[in-house]
Amino acid sequence: MNKMLKEFKEFAMRGNVVDMAVGIIIGGAFGKIVSSIVGDVIMPSVGILIGDVDFSDLKVVLKEAVMQGSEVIKPAVTLNYGSFIQVVLDFIIIAFSIFLLIKGINILKRNKKAEEKPATPAAPPADIQLLTEIRDLLKDQQNKNK
C-alpha cells in the first residue's frame, strides 16, 4: 500500500501534471468568462440589432405542453436552437482566443530560439591556418608518394 501511495505522489507531483491541473482550472474559469460575454453582452446586442430577439427564447415547439387548467402535466418538447447558437458563439470565441494564445507562445519560442543560436565560430588565427595548410600539403605529398 505504501508503494502505491509513493508512486501516486510521484505521479501527482510531476511538473506536467500540476501544469495540466492549473490549465484545466484556468480553462474552466475562462470558459465561464466567455460564456458570460456571449450570453450577457454579445447576444443581447445582436438580438437588438435584429429586432429585439432574445436568443435564449428561440425554439421550435415539436410537441405542445399538456395542460390541465393552469397546471403543466407534460412540458412542451422543443428544439432550443437559440441556445445552440449561443453555445456555437462560445466555442468560436474560445477557439479563437486559444488560437491567439498559441500563436503568441509560438512567436515567443521562435524569438527565443533565434537568440539562442550559437554564433558562427570565428576564423582561427593566421598562424593556425598556415599550420593547417602545411599539414594538408604534407598529407597530400605522402599520399602521392605511396
Side-chain angles (χ1 to χ4, degrees), residues 6-22:
K6 183 179 176 186
E7 286 180 31
F8 176 73
K9 181 181 175 186
E10 288 174 8
F11 168 77
M13 292 302 142
R14 281 190 196 148
N16 54 357
V17 173
V18 174
D19 292 344
M20 183 180 70
V22 169

Side-chain angles (χ1 to χ4, degrees), residues 58-74:
L58 293 178
K59 59 187 164 197
V60 174
V61 178
L62 299 175
K63 187 175 180 184
E64 294 291 332
V66 176
M67 306 284 286
Q68 192 172 45
S70 62
E71 185 180 339
V72 177
I73 303 223
K74 277 189 173 179

Side-chain angles (χ1 to χ4, degrees), residues 34-52:
V34 170
S35 294
S36 176
I37 288 172
V38 171
D40 300 330
V41 177
I42 294 174
M43 296 310 279
S45 303
V46 171
I48 288 172
L49 289 174
I50 62 172
D52 289 331

Side-chain angles (χ1 to χ4, degrees), residues 43 55-59 79-87:
M43 296 310 279
F55 277 84
S56 61
D57 291 338
L58 293 178
K59 59 187 164 197
L79 284 175
N80 301 321
Y81 66 92
S83 295
F84 175 74
I85 292 170
Q86 197 160 341
V87 170

Side-chain angles (χ1 to χ4, degrees), residues 79-134:
L79 284 175
N80 301 321
Y81 66 92
S83 295
F84 175 74
I85 292 170
Q86 197 160 341
V87 170
V88 168
L89 281 175
D90 279 357
F91 171 78
I92 290 170
I93 291 171
I94 290 172
F96 186 70
S97 299
I98 291 172
F99 166 76
L100 291 177
L101 178 71
I102 298 298
K103 185 174 173 114
I105 290 170
N106 287 340
I107 289 171
L108 290 174
K109 282 183 180 178
R110 255 186 264 131
N111 291 341
K112 188 175 181 181
K113 282 183 182 178
E115 291 172 4
E116 290 177 357
K117 283 188 179 177
T120 55
D127 57 345
I128 301 293
Q129 285 181 345
L130 182 60
L131 288 171
T132 304
E133 289 174 15
I134 293 170

